[in-house]
């Protein structure tokens, strides 16, 4: 039962990402899964229940990533690279993309709130990794808030570029962007 529900959530997330929440019907989701609408109702209550499930999965994945990076026994640079790689994979995943799109496209505030709550946690985790790296000497000294913002902005744009152009994997994109920051613009 849980496996089938997960399939429904994944197909629905993909449809929400491509067509939008309002433009996606339960009939479309059922057709995509090759099931009847009554069968769909066996696993989900309604479209809001589907979106709740998608957001719950995405938030859990991001929180797991934050915990995994924090627990790593590496210097700040190693943690930052791991953070970037894992973040890029998550925002490229169907559930992560849906979470990010819902920050502005959600039907109600209750569906936007998980993104806003999580973004504060992700920002704090990035700052912590940067602060640790500056303290252990693996990263140059800088304002962690500004650096965290610049890094994430470039990563979000880079991952978007990856999805549109498909030239590099999310991990490759993350590492290339991070290395660009590391090398800097000095000749």
């Amino acid at each position: 039962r849980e496996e089938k529900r997960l399939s429904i959530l994944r197909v629905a997330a993909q449809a929400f990402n491509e067509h939008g929440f309002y433009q996606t019907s339960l009939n479309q989701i059922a057709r995509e899964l090759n099931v009847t609408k009554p069968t769909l109702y066996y696993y989900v209550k309604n479209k809001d229940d589907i979106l709740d499930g998608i957001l719950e999965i995405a938030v859990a994945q991001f929180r797991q990533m934050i915990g995994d990076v924090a627990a790593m026994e590496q210097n700040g640079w190693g943690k930052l690279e791991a953070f970037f790689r894992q973040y890029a994979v998550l925002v490229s995943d169907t559930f992560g993309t849906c979470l990010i799109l819902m920050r502005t496209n959600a039907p109600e505030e209750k569906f936007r709130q998980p993104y806003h709550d999580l973004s504060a946690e992700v920002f704090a985790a990035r700052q912590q990794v940067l602060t640790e790296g500056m303290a252990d000497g693996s990263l140059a000294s800088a304002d962690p808030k500004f650096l965290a913002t610049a890094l994430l902005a470039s990563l979000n744009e880079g991952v978007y570029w990856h999805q549109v152009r498909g030239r590099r994997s999310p991990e490759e994109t993350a590492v290339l962007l991070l290395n660009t920051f590391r090398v800097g613009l000095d000749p």
Side-chain angles (χ1 to χ4, degrees), residues 100-156:
I100 290 169
L101 290 174
M102 287 302 126
R103 76 178 185 257
T104 55
N105 300 330
E108 299 173 33
E109 177 58 32
K110 71 177 185 169
F111 295 118
R112 290 187 287 276
Q113 197 58 49
Y115 171 82
H116 296 300
D117 293 344
L118 182 67
S119 66
E121 292 175 46
V122 169
F123 190 79
R126 275 192 323 269
Q127 278 188 261
Q128 180 61 36
V129 167
L130 292 167
T131 301
E132 287 176 22
M134 290 173 206
D136 69 26
S138 62
L139 297 171
S141 184
D143 183 316
K145 284 184 181 179
F146 284 113
L147 186 54
T149 300
L151 287 169
L152 190 63
S154 70
L155 182 58
N156 283 338

Side-chain angles (χ1 to χ4, degrees), residues 28-48:
Q28 287 173 280
I29 295 168
R31 249 190 329 271
E32 181 70 28
L33 290 162
N34 202 28
V35 298
T36 64
K37 196 170 173 184
T39 300
L40 198 62
Y41 280 122
Y42 179 75
Y43 297 98
V44 296
K45 295 177 196 167
N46 52 38
K47 212 160 70 163
D48 284 1

Side-chain angles (χ1 to χ4, degrees), residues 67-74 78-79 82-83 86:
D68 290 348
V69 170
M72 293 175 82
E73 299 210 11
Q74 291 195 26
K79 286 184 176 185
F83 187 98
Q86 292 178 37

